[in-house]
Each structure stands twice: as structure tokens, then as C-alpha cells.
Amino acid sequence: MELHHEFTVPVPVDDAWRALLDVERIAPCMPGATVDDYDGKTVTGSVKVKVGPITVTYRGTAVFEEQDESAHRMVLIANGKETRGQGTARATVTGTLAERDGGTAVSVRTDLTITGRPAQFGRGVMAEVGDKLVGQFAECLARRLGEPTERTEPSEPVEPFQAAQPVQPAQPVQPVQPVQPVEPIDLLRTAGPPVAKRVAVAVATAVLALVFVRIRRHRHA
């Protein structure tokens, strides 16, 4: 299926271009995604998707096949496979950036092929889910681009030699805060009540059909 999304960020196009290539910086804005490694071209990580009571995790890589800075165009090819199943996901993502009213308009075209449990939702539901996820990503990205960048403080001047000071008692070590787990993309909740209702009706119909078939088989037996 082919999906198309657009959003704007309130920074010049060159700043937006650099930000979108700074994967570690924007990774927290990607719903359900965890980045394990990035070498400037290849991203290794995982994406969690929740389908009702079931959580599906895809692990794989995404490779920047094209990074045309002069045209502000990038092409990303991603491949993933379920960690506990046979489902797969493949996407070719083409992004283009353009100046617009002092900000940057970002156009994203995605050619997505997915198998396994999430595929049951079909193009319509996936498109609506994609719209909301891209909206969340754009809002998060805009906030991050508005944050001041870290500056390196100038080093302190070297003090002249002084006599050794008495050793101070060691301070207690503060416990390390645990890393918060990444929340999976909840397809039903993200799609919203109308879509979730349609999916629930479809699932209920499929279950009733299965029960009916089994009853008929039992009677024939």
C-alpha cells in the first residue's frame, strides 16, 4: 500500500534537514520505535505494535539509500521481521523538504508491504493510523527543534599550585534511574473509536463465521 503524509516544522529547511538525519535526536519522537545503533547510514532497531491484547515486535534495519542535501531529498528502505512470528514489514520511505513561510514543509511518501496480524486492518485503517502517528511525530519534532542546543562551557582557568586539601568523605552514590520502556503503537486506540468499532465488527463476524463452520462440521460428523 502507498501512503502519503505532509507536515511542517517551524525552522529553516537546512536546519530541518540536519535534524531529520540526526536519528538519535529524533528517535524519541518515533512512536513505538527503539534505536539500537546508527552508523550514519544504517539504523538498527525495533518497532512494537499492539493489536488488541497482542503485542508484535518487529526487529530489523533501515538504510538511507539516498541523501541529496542540495535537493533536500532522502530515501530510506526499512525491513523488519516479527521476533515471535512469521510476519514481515518492508517500507520504502521518500522524504522531500521545501521552504514554506519561513518554515519547512516535509512531504513523506511510503510504499508499505506488511504481513502478519497487523495486515488484517487493511489500507483504510493503516492510513488513518499513519495520519495520527505522523501528526504525533511532527508535534514532537517541532518541540525538539525549538529546544536550545547544548553548548560546551569554556574550560576553567588553571589555578596556581596550592597545598593539598584534606580529602572530603565520599558522597553516597545515587541510584541509576531505570530506562522507561517504549510504549507500543496501539492500533485500535490510535485509530480512534469509529475505526476500532469497524475492526471489532469485522473480528466478531470472522469469529461467528468460524464458530458456524465448526458447528456444521460437528453436525456432519
Side-chain angles (χ1 to χ4, degrees):
M1 70 183 74
E2 187 171 293
L3 306 173
H4 184 226
H5 300 94
E6 292 186 351
F7 61 92
T8 59
V9 288
V11 295
V13 65
D14 288 334
D15 292 344
W17 172 263
R18 287 190 293 269
L20 289 174
L21 293 180
D22 189 350
V23 174
E24 287 91 346
R25 182 181 180 189
I26 67 173
C29 292
M30 303 175 185
T34 300
V35 174
D36 298 327
D37 185 57
Y38 176 53
D39 62 7
K41 182 178 181 181
T42 302
V43 184
T44 303
S46 61
V47 176
K48 292 183 179 180
V49 179
K50 187 177 180 182
V51 185
I54 302 172
T55 298
V56 180
T57 300
Y58 293 91
R59 288 196 60 83
T61 59
V63 180
F64 282 98
E65 291 292 321
E66 180 181 336
Q67 294 181 14
D68 188 341
E69 185 173 2
S70 60
H72 295 121
R73 181 179 186 272
M74 63 181 72
V75 178
L76 183 72
I77 297 179
N79 289 279
K81 186 180 184 302
E82 286 185 35
T83 57
R84 296 182 179 179
Q86 299 301 314
T88 61
R90 175 181 172 83
T92 300
V93 183
T94 303
T96 55
L97 285 64
E99 289 277 6
R100 179 179 295 175
D101 300 328
T104 300
V106 183
S107 175
V108 182
R109 189 173 299 277
T110 306
D111 186 1
L112 175 65
T113 302
I114 188 168
T115 65
R117 283 162 285 192
Q120 66 183 301
F121 289 91
R123 186 188 184 285
V125 174
M126 296 302 291
E128 293 190 45
V129 171
D131 289 341
K132 293 190 177 182
L133 293 179
V134 170
Q136 295 173 15
F137 173 79
E139 291 177 4
C140 177
L141 180 62
R143 289 196 303 269
R144 285 189 170 266
L145 292 178
E147 296 172 355
T149 56
E150 296 184 359
R151 294 183 302 175
T152 304
E153 296 295 332
S155 58
E156 295 293 334
V158 179
E159 297 291 339
F161 176 79
Q162 296 180 354
Q165 299 295 321
V167 178
Q168 298 295 325
Q171 297 296 321
V173 177
Q174 296 297 325
V176 177
Q177 296 298 324
V179 177
Q180 295 298 324
V182 175
E183 288 293 326
I185 302 171
D186 191 328
L187 291 184
L188 292 181
R189 187 175 62 184
T190 303
V195 176
K197 184 177 180 180
R198 295 203 304 270
V199 174
V201 170
V203 172
T205 302
V207 171
L208 289 175
L210 180 60
V211 171
F212 179 71
V213 169
R214 288 185 175 179
I215 291 175
R216 289 190 61 183
R217 288 178 178 174
H218 179 72
R219 286 179 176 174
H220 285 302

mmCIF file with all atom_site columns, all heavy atoms in Angstrom, residues 190-208:
data_model
loop_
_atom_site.group_PDB
_atom_site.id
_atom_site.type_symbol
_atom_site.label_atom_id
_atom_site.label_alt_id
_atom_site.label_comp_id
_atom_site.label_asym_id
_atom_site.label_entity_id
_atom_site.label_seq_id
_atom_site.pdbx_PDB_ins_code
_atom_site.Cartn_x
_atom_site.Cartn_y
_atom_site.Cartn_z
_atom_site.occupancy
_atom_site.B_iso_or_equiv
_atom_site.pdbx_formal_charge
_atom_site.auth_seq_id
_atom_site.auth_comp_id
_atom_site.auth_asym_id
_atom_site.auth_atom_id
_atom_site.pdbx_PDB_model_num
ATOM 1   N N   . THR A 1 190 ? -5.049  4.138   18.629 1.00 0.00 ? 190 THR A N   1
ATOM 2   C CA  . THR A 1 190 ? -4.593  5.197   17.734 1.00 0.00 ? 190 THR A CA  1
ATOM 3   C C   . THR A 1 190 ? -5.596  5.463   16.624 1.00 0.00 ? 190 THR A C   1
ATOM 4   O O   . THR A 1 190 ? -5.819  6.604   16.223 1.00 0.00 ? 190 THR A O   1
ATOM 5   C CB  . THR A 1 190 ? -3.234  4.825   17.107 1.00 0.00 ? 190 THR A CB  1
ATOM 6   O OG1 . THR A 1 190 ? -2.300  4.567   18.154 1.00 0.00 ? 190 THR A OG1 1
ATOM 7   C CG2 . THR A 1 190 ? -2.706  5.948   16.229 1.00 0.00 ? 190 THR A CG2 1
ATOM 8   N N   . ALA A 1 191 ? -6.226  4.406   16.122 1.00 0.00 ? 191 ALA A N   1
ATOM 9   C CA  . ALA A 1 191 ? -7.184  4.570   15.028 1.00 0.00 ? 191 ALA A CA  1
ATOM 10  C C   . ALA A 1 191 ? -8.406  5.355   15.457 1.00 0.00 ? 191 ALA A C   1
ATOM 11  O O   . ALA A 1 191 ? -9.030  6.037   14.645 1.00 0.00 ? 191 ALA A O   1
ATOM 12  C CB  . ALA A 1 191 ? -7.595  3.199   14.495 1.00 0.00 ? 191 ALA A CB  1
ATOM 13  N N   . GLY A 1 192 ? -8.773  5.277   16.733 1.00 0.00 ? 192 GLY A N   1
ATOM 14  C CA  . GLY A 1 192 ? -9.933  6.016   17.207 1.00 0.00 ? 192 GLY A CA  1
ATOM 15  C C   . GLY A 1 192 ? -11.176 5.141   17.241 1.00 0.00 ? 192 GLY A C   1
ATOM 16  O O   . GLY A 1 192 ? -11.247 4.090   16.610 1.00 0.00 ? 192 GLY A O   1
ATOM 17  N N   . PRO A 1 193 ? -12.210 5.571   17.989 1.00 0.00 ? 193 PRO A N   1
ATOM 18  C CA  . PRO A 1 193 ? -13.423 4.770   18.165 1.00 0.00 ? 193 PRO A CA  1
ATOM 19  C C   . PRO A 1 193 ? -14.115 4.338   16.873 1.00 0.00 ? 193 PRO A C   1
ATOM 20  O O   . PRO A 1 193 ? -14.500 3.181   16.762 1.00 0.00 ? 193 PRO A O   1
ATOM 21  C CB  . PRO A 1 193 ? -14.336 5.693   19.005 1.00 0.00 ? 193 PRO A CB  1
ATOM 22  C CG  . PRO A 1 193 ? -13.385 6.594   19.716 1.00 0.00 ? 193 PRO A CG  1
ATOM 23  C CD  . PRO A 1 193 ? -12.238 6.815   18.777 1.00 0.00 ? 193 PRO A CD  1
ATOM 24  N N   . PRO A 1 194 ? -14.301 5.221   15.869 1.00 0.00 ? 194 PRO A N   1
ATOM 25  C CA  . PRO A 1 194 ? -15.002 4.766   14.662 1.00 0.00 ? 194 PRO A CA  1
ATOM 26  C C   . PRO A 1 194 ? -14.298 3.611   13.967 1.00 0.00 ? 194 PRO A C   1
ATOM 27  O O   . PRO A 1 194 ? -14.921 2.630   13.572 1.00 0.00 ? 194 PRO A O   1
ATOM 28  C CB  . PRO A 1 194 ? -15.021 6.026   13.773 1.00 0.00 ? 194 PRO A CB  1
ATOM 29  C CG  . PRO A 1 194 ? -14.863 7.166   14.714 1.00 0.00 ? 194 PRO A CG  1
ATOM 30  C CD  . PRO A 1 194 ? -13.953 6.645   15.781 1.00 0.00 ? 194 PRO A CD  1
ATOM 31  N N   . VAL A 1 195 ? -12.970 3.727   13.821 1.00 0.00 ? 195 VAL A N   1
ATOM 32  C CA  . VAL A 1 195 ? -12.212 2.669   13.154 1.00 0.00 ? 195 VAL A CA  1
ATOM 33  C C   . VAL A 1 195 ? -12.173 1.424   14.027 1.00 0.00 ? 195 VAL A C   1
ATOM 34  O O   . VAL A 1 195 ? -12.332 0.300   13.550 1.00 0.00 ? 195 VAL A O   1
ATOM 35  C CB  . VAL A 1 195 ? -10.789 3.135   12.827 1.00 0.00 ? 195 VAL A CB  1
ATOM 36  C CG1 . VAL A 1 195 ? -9.970  1.996   12.230 1.00 0.00 ? 195 VAL A CG1 1
ATOM 37  C CG2 . VAL A 1 195 ? -10.838 4.306   11.854 1.00 0.00 ? 195 VAL A CG2 1
ATOM 38  N N   . ALA A 1 196 ? -11.962 1.619   15.317 1.00 0.00 ? 196 ALA A N   1
ATOM 39  C CA  . ALA A 1 196 ? -11.922 0.476   16.226 1.00 0.00 ? 196 ALA A CA  1
ATOM 40  C C   . ALA A 1 196 ? -13.240 -0.287  16.196 1.00 0.00 ? 196 ALA A C   1
ATOM 41  O O   . ALA A 1 196 ? -13.265 -1.518  16.272 1.00 0.00 ? 196 ALA A O   1
ATOM 42  C CB  . ALA A 1 196 ? -11.619 0.945   17.651 1.00 0.00 ? 196 ALA A CB  1
ATOM 43  N N   . LYS A 1 197 ? -14.339 0.451   16.085 1.00 0.00 ? 197 LYS A N   1
ATOM 44  C CA  . LYS A 1 197 ? -15.652 -0.197  16.010 1.00 0.00 ? 197 LYS A CA  1
ATOM 45  C C   . LYS A 1 197 ? -15.754 -1.046  14.753 1.00 0.00 ? 197 LYS A C   1
ATOM 46  O O   . LYS A 1 197 ? -16.238 -2.178  14.790 1.00 0.00 ? 197 LYS A O   1
ATOM 47  C CB  . LYS A 1 197 ? -16.759 0.855   16.042 1.00 0.00 ? 197 LYS A CB  1
ATOM 48  C CG  . LYS A 1 197 ? -18.159 0.259   16.069 1.00 0.00 ? 197 LYS A CG  1
ATOM 49  C CD  . LYS A 1 197 ? -19.205 1.359   16.164 1.00 0.00 ? 197 LYS A CD  1
ATOM 50  C CE  . LYS A 1 197 ? -20.615 0.752   16.188 1.00 0.00 ? 197 LYS A CE  1
ATOM 51  N NZ  . LYS A 1 197 ? -21.644 1.822   16.278 1.00 0.00 ? 197 LYS A NZ  1
ATOM 52  N N   . ARG A 1 198 ? -15.276 -0.501  13.611 1.00 0.00 ? 198 ARG A N   1
ATOM 53  C CA  . ARG A 1 198 ? -15.330 -1.269  12.363 1.00 0.00 ? 198 ARG A CA  1
ATOM 54  C C   . ARG A 1 198 ? -14.475 -2.524  12.472 1.00 0.00 ? 198 ARG A C   1
ATOM 55  O O   . ARG A 1 198 ? -14.864 -3.598  12.022 1.00 0.00 ? 198 ARG A O   1
ATOM 56  C CB  . ARG A 1 198 ? -14.847 -0.412  11.190 1.00 0.00 ? 198 ARG A CB  1
ATOM 57  C CG  . ARG A 1 198 ? -15.729 0.771   10.881 1.00 0.00 ? 198 ARG A CG  1
ATOM 58  C CD  . ARG A 1 198 ? -15.543 1.216   9.442  1.00 0.00 ? 198 ARG A CD  1
ATOM 59  N NE  . ARG A 1 198 ? -14.178 1.528   9.114  1.00 0.00 ? 198 ARG A NE  1
ATOM 60  C CZ  . ARG A 1 198 ? -13.631 2.726   9.236  1.00 0.00 ? 198 ARG A CZ  1
ATOM 61  N NH1 . ARG A 1 198 ? -14.347 3.726   9.712  1.00 0.00 ? 198 ARG A NH1 1
ATOM 62  N NH2 . ARG A 1 198 ? -12.378 2.936   8.897  1.00 0.00 ? 198 ARG A NH2 1
ATOM 63  N N   . VAL A 1 199 ? -13.304 -2.388  13.092 1.00 0.00 ? 199 VAL A N   1
ATOM 64  C CA  . VAL A 1 199 ? -12.426 -3.547  13.245 1.00 0.00 ? 199 VAL A CA  1
ATOM 65  C C   . VAL A 1 199 ? -13.067 -4.581  14.161 1.00 0.00 ? 199 VAL A C   1
ATOM 66  O O   . VAL A 1 199 ? -13.024 -5.781  13.893 1.00 0.00 ? 199 VAL A O   1
ATOM 67  C CB  . VAL A 1 199 ? -11.058 -3.111  13.799 1.00 0.00 ? 199 VAL A CB  1
ATOM 68  C CG1 . VAL A 1 199 ? -10.191 -4.319  14.110 1.00 0.00 ? 199 VAL A CG1 1
ATOM 69  C CG2 . VAL A 1 199 ? -10.350 -2.211  12.791 1.00 0.00 ? 199 VAL A CG2 1
ATOM 70  N N   . ALA A 1 200 ? -13.687 -4.114  15.252 1.00 0.00 ? 200 ALA A N   1
ATOM 71  C CA  . ALA A 1 200 ? -14.324 -5.038  16.185 1.00 0.00 ? 200 ALA A CA  1
ATOM 72  C C   . ALA A 1 200 ? -15.451 -5.800  15.504 1.00 0.00 ? 200 ALA A C   1
ATOM 73  O O   . ALA A 1 200 ? -15.623 -7.006  15.719 1.00 0.00 ? 200 ALA A O   1
ATOM 74  C CB  . ALA A 1 200 ? -14.854 -4.268  17.395 1.00 0.00 ? 200 ALA A CB  1
ATOM 75  N N   . VAL A 1 201 ? -16.234 -5.108  14.686 1.00 0.00 ? 201 VAL A N   1
ATOM 76  C CA  . VAL A 1 201 ? -17.316 -5.772  13.958 1.00 0.00 ? 201 VAL A CA  1
ATOM 77  C C   . VAL A 1 201 ? -16.757 -6.820  13.010 1.00 0.00 ? 201 VAL A C   1
ATOM 78  O O   . VAL A 1 201 ? -17.275 -7.937  12.909 1.00 0.00 ? 201 VAL A O   1
ATOM 79  C CB  . VAL A 1 201 ? -18.168 -4.738  13.178 1.00 0.00 ? 201 VAL A CB  1
ATOM 80  C CG1 . VAL A 1 201 ? -19.135 -5.437  12.242 1.00 0.00 ? 201 VAL A CG1 1
ATOM 81  C CG2 . VAL A 1 201 ? -18.924 -3.849  14.149 1.00 0.00 ? 201 VAL A CG2 1
ATOM 82  N N   . ALA A 1 202 ? -15.660 -6.482  12.312 1.00 0.00 ? 202 ALA A N   1
ATOM 83  C CA  . ALA A 1 202 ? -15.045 -7.424  11.374 1.00 0.00 ? 202 ALA A CA  1
ATOM 84  C C   . ALA A 1 202 ? -14.527 -8.657  12.107 1.00 0.00 ? 202 ALA A C   1
ATOM 85  O O   . ALA A 1 202 ? -14.706 -9.793  11.655 1.00 0.00 ? 202 ALA A O   1
ATOM 86  C CB  . ALA A 1 202 ? -13.915 -6.747  10.617 1.00 0.00 ? 202 ALA A CB  1
ATOM 87  N N   . VAL A 1 203 ? -13.878 -8.433  13.259 1.00 0.00 ? 203 VAL A N   1
ATOM 88  C CA  . VAL A 1 203 ? -13.356 -9.556  14.026 1.00 0.00 ? 203 VAL A CA  1
ATOM 89  C C   . VAL A 1 203 ? -14.493 -10.430 14.547 1.00 0.00 ? 203 VAL A C   1
ATOM 90  O O   . VAL A 1 203 ? -14.433 -11.661 14.499 1.00 0.00 ? 203 VAL A O   1
ATOM 91  C CB  . VAL A 1 203 ? -12.489 -9.046  15.198 1.00 0.00 ? 203 VAL A CB  1
ATOM 92  C CG1 . VAL A 1 203 ? -12.095 -10.189 16.121 1.00 0.00 ? 203 VAL A CG1 1
ATOM 93  C CG2 . VAL A 1 203 ? -11.249 -8.351  14.661 1.00 0.00 ? 203 VAL A CG2 1
ATOM 94  N N   . ALA A 1 204 ? -15.558 -9.770  15.069 1.00 0.00 ? 204 ALA A N   1
ATOM 95  C CA  . ALA A 1 204 ? -16.697 -10.526 15.581 1.00 0.00 ? 204 ALA A CA  1
ATOM 96  C C   . ALA A 1 204 ? -17.342 -11.356 14.480 1.00 0.00 ? 204 ALA A C   1
ATOM 97  O O   . ALA A 1 204 ? -17.727 -12.515 14.691 1.00 0.00 ? 204 ALA A O   1
ATOM 98  C CB  . ALA A 1 204 ? -17.714 -9.576  16.200 1.00 0.00 ? 204 ALA A CB  1
ATOM 99  N N   . THR A 1 205 ? -17.475 -10.789 13.290 1.00 0.00 ? 205 THR A N   1
ATOM 100 C CA  . THR A 1 205 ? -18.047 -11.518 12.160 1.00 0.00 ? 205 THR A CA  1
ATOM 101 C C   . THR A 1 205 ? -17.199 -12.726 11.806 1.00 0.00 ? 205 THR A C   1
ATOM 102 O O   . THR A 1 205 ? -17.721 -13.816 11.547 1.00 0.00 ? 205 THR A O   1
ATOM 103 C CB  . THR A 1 205 ? -18.168 -10.592 10.937 1.00 0.00 ? 205 THR A CB  1
ATOM 104 O OG1 . THR A 1 205 ? -18.969 -9.464  11.284 1.00 0.00 ? 205 THR A OG1 1
ATOM 105 C CG2 . THR A 1 205 ? -18.797 -11.323 9.764  1.00 0.00 ? 205 THR A CG2 1
ATOM 106 N N   . ALA A 1 206 ? -15.859 -12.526 11.804 1.00 0.00 ? 206 ALA A N   1
ATOM 107 C CA  . ALA A 1 206 ? -14.965 -13.647 11.490 1.00 0.00 ? 206 ALA A CA  1
ATOM 108 C C   . ALA A 1 206 ? -15.083 -14.749 12.531 1.00 0.00 ? 206 ALA A C   1
ATOM 109 O O   . ALA A 1 206 ? -15.097 -15.949 12.202 1.00 0.00 ? 206 ALA A O   1
ATOM 110 C CB  . ALA A 1 206 ? -13.531 -13.151 11.409 1.00 0.00 ? 206 ALA A CB  1
ATOM 111 N N   . VAL A 1 207 ? -15.195 -14.381 13.813 1.00 0.00 ? 207 VAL A N   1
ATOM 112 C CA  . VAL A 1 207 ? -15.319 -15.376 14.877 1.00 0.00 ? 207 VAL A CA  1
ATOM 113 C C   . VAL A 1 207 ? -16.627 -16.139 14.747 1.00 0.00 ? 207 VAL A C   1
ATOM 114 O O   . VAL A 1 207 ? -16.670 -17.371 14.863 1.00 0.00 ? 207 VAL A O   1
ATOM 115 C CB  . VAL A 1 207 ? -15.225 -14.696 16.259 1.00 0.00 ? 207 VAL A CB  1
ATOM 116 C CG1 . VAL A 1 207 ? -15.582 -15.693 17.369 1.00 0.00 ? 207 VAL A CG1 1
ATOM 117 C CG2 . VAL A 1 207 ? -13.826 -14.140 16.485 1.00 0.00 ? 207 VAL A CG2 1
ATOM 118 N N   . LEU A 1 208 ? -17.734 -15.427 14.481 1.00 0.00 ? 208 LEU A N   1
ATOM 119 C CA  . LEU A 1 208 ? -19.026 -16.086 14.308 1.00 0.00 ? 208 LEU A CA  1
ATOM 120 C C   . LEU A 1 208 ? -19.009 -17.039 13.125 1.00 0.00 ? 208 LEU A C   1
ATOM 121 O O   . LEU A 1 208 ? -19.566 -18.139 13.189 1.00 0.00 ? 208 LEU A O   1
ATOM 122 C CB  . LEU A 1 208 ? -20.129 -15.031 14.124 1.00 0.00 ? 208 LEU A CB  1
ATOM 123 C CG  . LEU A 1 208 ? -20.485 -14.224 15.381 1.00 0.00 ? 208 LEU A CG  1
ATOM 124 C CD1 . LEU A 1 208 ? -21.502 -13.134 15.038 1.00 0.00 ? 208 LEU A CD1 1
ATOM 125 C CD2 . LEU A 1 208 ? -21.048 -15.145 16.460 1.00 0.00 ? 208 LEU A CD2 1
#
